[in-house]
Amino acid sequence: MNYSPCTYQFSGVTTRVAGYSKIPPKILEQIFSIRKLAFIDRKKWDIESYQGSDYEWDEYDDLDATYIYTHQNDQVTGCVRLRPSSKPTLMSGPLSFILPTEETRAHLQHCWEATRFALSSDDFATGELTQANVDIRTAALFLSMIKFAQQQNVRTYEIVVDTMMEKILKRSGWTVDRRNIALGSKGEKIIYGTLPCTLLTYEEVLKKNAIHKATVYHQPLITCRSSDSLDKPQVIPQTLPNRNIPAKISMHTVLQL
């Protein structure tokens, strides 16, 4: 898959889109650190792949993954992970229990998975809310996801969210198409659904949040290589375990986006 990494600006919030192999190790560390603080420390998720470090990552953080993250200078303040649904994903692995039994899953050729949506809660967070009463970083990440999807001919994202995240998406102007409902590890309701990636949706999110249209900065064309490539992934400091960890046993784990 070929694409040009981009930097967007939405009402003063900067987002960056880049493939796994093109993200500097220090940025990748920050993404994994934010995820650990969000999911392990704050939400108390029981994620089997988590091995007790300062970082939350799994076997799906590899060369097939693309990340969108908000940042101020060199400090990451929010992130989301995207993967082609035709590749191994959380939906085909640990979250396969929530997939509809009937054949109503989105066509994998034009569908990507969106997971591990997280925001930092430190001094670098802006705390600014949009007109829709949504964190401006959240709206900027949503808009960047739609822009990226349009560039890659992705028609939908498939997601698993709780009811709170579903409400945030709806309030932002991005309504989840529910396809199945199940119970999470703590008995809470979780939703498997899809998000349309149309121009109409993009305009609706802009309008609902009263955000200025994006300023786009393109980088030279690069190749985002598949995980079966001979290229090696980023070299991460030894505080992260070996990347080539085996697939995990399926778990009823709640994931927001």
Side-chain angles (χ1 to χ4, degrees), residues 9-249:
Q9 284 190 351
F10 294 96
S11 295
V13 176
T14 302
T15 66
R16 173 76 172 165
V17 184
Y20 174 93
S21 65
K22 299 301 178 179
I23 295 182
K26 291 296 183 182
I27 296 296
L28 203 55
E29 284 182 42
Q30 290 183 52
I31 289 173
F32 294 160
S33 177
I34 287 175
R35 283 166 37 174
K36 188 264 183 181
L37 292 172
F39 306 138
I40 304 300
D41 295 347
R42 294 203 296 268
K43 293 182 177 295
K44 308 298 183 184
W45 285 1
D46 183 14
I47 301 177
E48 187 178 357
S49 58
Y50 175 65
Q51 301 183 17
S53 71
D54 292 332
Y55 307 101
E56 187 283 309
W57 63 277
D58 59 24
E59 62 265 36
Y60 304 107
D61 292 297
D62 62 17
L63 292 175
D64 287 323
T66 295
Y67 303 84
I68 303 179
Y69 57 94
T70 57
H71 62 92
Q72 294 181 10
N73 299 320
D74 293 328
Q75 186 69 34
V76 178
T77 62
C79 55
V80 62
R81 180 180 68 191
L82 310 176
R83 290 179 61 84
S85 294
S86 58
K87 299 286 185 177
T89 63
L90 281 167
M91 304 299 174
S92 62
L95 290 179
S96 59
F97 72 91
I98 200 173
L99 292 178
T101 54
E102 65 274 14
E103 295 183 0
T104 58
R105 191 178 179 187
H107 196 293
L108 300 188
Q109 183 179 356
H110 300 290
C111 178
W112 280 43
E113 173 187 85
T115 59
R116 295 304 200 255
F117 187 101
L119 299 178
S120 67
S121 59
D122 52 29
D123 293 338
F124 291 94
T126 65
E128 181 182 348
L129 299 179
T130 69
Q131 180 175 278
N133 197 33
V134 171
D135 191 301
I136 194 167
R137 294 169 296 168
T138 296
L141 286 168
F142 289 171
L143 289 164
S144 300
M145 289 170 64
I146 300 172
K147 291 292 287 184
F148 174 78
Q150 291 174 338
Q151 293 168 359
Q152 298 303 311
N153 195 28
V154 175
R155 297 174 185 171
T156 56
Y157 287 115
E158 57 179 353
I159 59 172
V160 172
V161 295
D162 59 17
T163 54
M164 180 179 295
M165 191 61 176
E166 184 185 39
K167 290 177 182 177
I168 291 173
L169 282 157
K170 184 176 181 179
R171 196 160 66 238
S172 298
W174 206 4
T175 302
V176 178
D177 177 12
R178 285 190 176 196
R179 302 205 175 202
N180 201 21
I181 298 174
L183 295 180
S185 58
K186 298 179 181 179
E188 69 276 36
K189 183 166 70 173
I190 55 176
I191 300 106
Y192 166 77
T194 56
L195 295 167
C197 300
T198 63
L199 178 59
L200 182 62
T201 302
Y202 179 77
E203 295 291 343
E204 181 68 11
V205 176
L206 283 174
K207 178 182 176 182
K208 285 263 188 178
N209 292 278
I211 287 181
H212 303 306
K213 289 190 177 182
T215 301
V216 184
Y217 304 92
H218 288 282
Q219 300 298 321
L221 184 67
I222 66 167
T223 302
C224 182
R225 289 171 279 273
S226 172
S227 58
D228 59 2
S229 167
L230 295 178
D231 292 322
K232 295 181 179 180
Q234 286 277 10
V235 176
I236 304 295
Q238 294 180 355
T239 48
L240 290 182
N242 189 331
R243 291 305 186 83
N244 297 318
I245 58 178
K248 304 300 180 183
I249 300 173

